[in-house]
Amino acid sequence: PVEEVFEPVHDFAAEIEHFARSLRAGERPVHTHVDGTRVLAVILAAYESERTGARVAVPPVAEHAPR
């Protein structure tokens, strides 16, 4: 078997670097604000579920920011 070795990466720094490059290039980042909002909704529901011991529905997230 072939074993590949990768250099360690600081995930958050790489994410910020990618976002900054996307802004400079005028390109869409891999993950959008909608993706981030969805992840946050899941995390907050998990915290609430742990706190209450009950199932917590993850609220829907709007595709576009309200104006």
Side-chain angles (χ1 to χ4, degrees):
V2 176
E3 183 177 320
E4 293 188 47
V5 178
F6 298 94
E7 293 294 320
V9 174
H10 187 286
D11 295 332
F12 185 68
E15 196 172 328
I16 296 300
E17 185 178 314
H18 165 73
F19 182 71
R21 272 196 320 269
S22 296
L23 290 177
R24 284 193 299 269
E27 299 172 353
R28 180 182 179 274
V30 172
H31 303 290
T32 67
H33 66 287
V34 174
D35 299 326
T37 304
R38 284 184 179 135
V39 169
L40 180 58
V42 169
I43 291 168
L44 293 176
Y47 283 153
E48 181 67 9
S49 178
E50 191 280 328
R51 187 181 72 75
T52 63
R55 284 183 157 182
V56 175
V58 177
V61 174
E63 288 292 319
H64 303 285
R67 293 181 184 231

